[in-house]
Amino acid sequence: MSGPSRKQQRAATRNRNVRRRSALAQRTESVRRGKAAEGSGPPGVHRRNLAIVVVAVLVVGAAIFVYARSIGGSPSPSQELEATPTADTSNGLFPFDPPDAYTVTYRHVAYDGSDATTTTQQYSVTRPFEARVVSLNGEPPGGGEQWSVTTTLGLYEQSTADDGATTQVAAPATGLGDYRLDASIDDLVTDGTFVRRDLRTLLGRQCQVYRTGSPAEAYTITAPTAENFVDLCIDHSGIVLEELAVASGAVSEHLVATAIDTAPTLTDADFPITTAPSGSGTLNEIARDTSPVPGYWAMSTVPDGYQLQHRYRLTQAVADPSSTAGTTGGSATANTIDVDSYVDVYVNGTNTIIVHQGPTSAEPPTETSGADVTSTALGTVHIASGVRGTAASAHPTAPAGWFVHVTGTVPRADLQSAVNSMTSS
């Protein structure tokens, strides 16, 4: 009997890529979702309304290869960036000038041994909340659409060529795929998780190379090692122009910008949400001038330039801890209850500070990197820098069983000052 054809071998390679990247996304989501991944409730019922994040992390991470065009690749792709080294060897940190909006087209190549898979990815962002990522077949400018993810304030829509679109509600956050390294890069360098290297040029734009341990799209910050590292070339807008990832000593993927516009004309029509939200989650705006519950935490001093633009009640379905789990078709089941948490959204132009609080049963994940600091009001606060800015989490003594998370597209010192100013009603 003859062996599998080349076409069959390529299909098998694509399937392996899907399984491998799906597993990576699941591990990433396990870290990000904290107790939901630790088995705090029966599977399949904890925080159903945020399930879209699993898919969103996968697709924005440039990891879906199901429809991608496979091309022949070198057994040992180069670990050198395409961006051209410059004569300036000072390795100085140049000032950032983050844009209000931008679009970037990337060529993305994923490697699996001697096979390479190439897709085109288009990012459109209007800060602070709107973002859209589209994956297309083949080299830029790309062919047919494989999938897209669109995020607006509190909504995610995922669409695939085969399955259509689905939309779900989630806590307000910066647009998915919009990295805010302009806010956090100094802290990441101080921590040693980003190591500054040389200056380069791509598309006529100077960019600073940093070596770190995880791809930006993983949202997980780790220090680089000799065998596992990622080189990012970041321009003065804070935008990643090139990303080259090495895993176990071999190149695993390479993302290179082929076109960039930091002054595009984008409207709401560029961020379409075409389907009504599904699932049990709801997000409702509530009065900003009164505390929704006793003991509500808020900043006593709002940072200069920021205004409280929104206050939301986020309702999530979680496993009822008082219910008795049974089995249905071999899977554990339990009753669910609706739990309310609350989100305050402060905005200053393109920057945000977002305060999310509520019962710990509805608590989202916390950053695993970073360190603990002490706040007079909130007690122990875990604070960490990441690719989306800075995040802090605390569990004050009152109200009992309560969490407070504060995230911001600001440096760590600024976020810590905001946390230190918090008082409860």
Side-chain angles (χ1 to χ4, degrees):
M1 181 180 295
S2 61
S5 66
R6 181 61 177 165
K7 182 178 180 180
Q8 291 171 325
Q9 290 174 340
R10 287 180 173 176
T13 296
R14 287 194 294 271
N15 288 336
R16 285 195 302 272
N17 278 332
V18 172
R19 291 192 298 269
R20 182 186 65 191
R21 301 301 294 182
S22 295
L24 173 61
Q26 290 167 4
R27 288 195 299 271
T28 300
E29 180 63 7
S30 293
V31 172
R32 297 182 67 221
R33 294 189 66 178
K35 289 191 295 184
E38 294 171 7
S40 59
V45 297
H46 199 76
R47 303 174 194 161
R48 292 176 181 168
N49 59 308
L50 295 182
I52 190 67
V53 177
V54 179
V55 179
V57 170
L58 179 63
V59 296
V60 172
I64 293 182
F65 307 125
V66 176
Y67 310 103
R69 177 173 61 87
S70 182
I71 62 173
S74 167
S76 301
S78 173
Q79 295 186 11
E80 181 71 16
L81 293 171
E82 289 188 15
T84 303
T86 69
D88 186 346
T89 58
S90 64
N91 292 339
L93 194 66
F94 49 78
F96 286 107
D97 183 20
D100 295 344
Y102 63 90
T103 61
V104 187
T105 298
Y106 292 102
R107 180 181 73 252
H108 176 264
V109 184
Y111 295 94
D112 185 10
S114 62
D115 285 335
T117 303
T118 300
T119 57
T120 295
Q121 295 188 356
Q122 297 175 338
Y123 283 60
S124 301
V125 172
T126 294
R127 286 172 168 162
F129 302 115
E130 295 179 312
R132 179 171 170 82
V133 183
V134 180
S135 179
L136 305 171
N137 290 309
E139 298 268 357
E145 182 176 317
Q146 302 175 347
W147 51 260
S148 67
V149 169
T150 304
T151 63
T152 60
L153 186 61
L155 290 175
Y156 289 91
E157 181 177 273
Q158 172 221 342
S159 179
T160 67
D162 288 343
D163 299 328
T166 58
T167 301
Q168 293 206 14
V169 170
T174 56
L176 191 69
D178 180 23
Y179 308 130
R180 294 306 305 265
L181 290 160
D182 56 288
S184 59
I185 196 70
D186 286 355
D187 295 318
L188 294 169
V189 170
T190 298
D191 294 342
T193 51
F194 272 52
V195 179
R196 194 179 306 129
R197 295 170 68 84
D198 58 341
L199 290 169
R200 296 186 176 233
T201 302
L202 183 70
L203 299 177
R205 304 172 70 87
Q206 190 177 62
C207 56
Q208 175 77 61
V209 179
Y210 297 89
R211 177 162 290 185
T212 185
S214 304
E217 61 270 13
Y219 293 123
T220 300
I221 302 300
T222 59
T225 67
E227 291 291 304
N228 297 279
F229 61 86
V230 179
D231 285 341
L232 303 169
C233 209
I234 302 167
D235 76 354
H236 69 281
S237 298
I239 296 172
V240 176
L241 297 188
E242 185 172 4
E243 177 183 88
L244 183 122
V246 173
S248 300
V251 175
S252 59
E253 53 188 326
H254 195 178
L255 191 74
V256 183
T258 61
I260 184 170
D261 185 354
T262 56
T265 301
L266 297 173
T267 67
D268 290 346
D270 294 295
F271 307 95
I273 300 293
T274 60
T275 59
S278 59
S280 59
T282 60
L283 185 70
N284 296 304
E285 192 149 11
I286 59 177
R288 287 172 283 167
D289 56 354
T290 59
S291 298
V293 294
Y296 195 76
W297 289 89
M299 290 183 288
S300 59
T301 303
V302 178
D304 289 344
Y306 284 84
Q307 291 184 335
L308 177 58
Q309 288 195 354
H310 305 279
R311 175 169 287 171
Y312 293 101
R313 177 185 290 108
L314 174 64
T315 303
Q316 303 167 259
V318 303
D320 183 355
S322 65
S323 66
T324 302
T327 58
T328 300
S331 299
T333 60
N335 295 326
T336 61
I337 57 174
D338 288 341
V339 176
D340 292 336
S341 60
Y342 304 91
V343 186
D344 286 351
V345 180
Y346 295 85
V347 178
N348 178 11
T350 63
N351 292 320
T352 64
I353 295 176
I354 297 175
V355 181
H356 185 190
Q357 59 186 299
T360 54
S361 58
E363 184 176 9
T366 59
E367 297 287 345
T368 56
S369 59
D372 290 343
V373 298
T374 300
S375 166
T376 301
L378 290 171
T380 300
V381 178
H382 187 81
I383 190 163
S385 302
V387 297
R388 300 179 83 176
T390 313
S393 60
H395 297 89
T397 56
W402 200 255
F403 76 88
V404 177
H405 288 193
V406 186
T407 58
T409 56
V410 295
R412 191 157 58 208
D414 293 350
L415 193 76
Q416 189 167 344
S417 294
V419 169
N420 288 338
S421 78
M422 298 193 75
T423 59
S424 62
S425 59

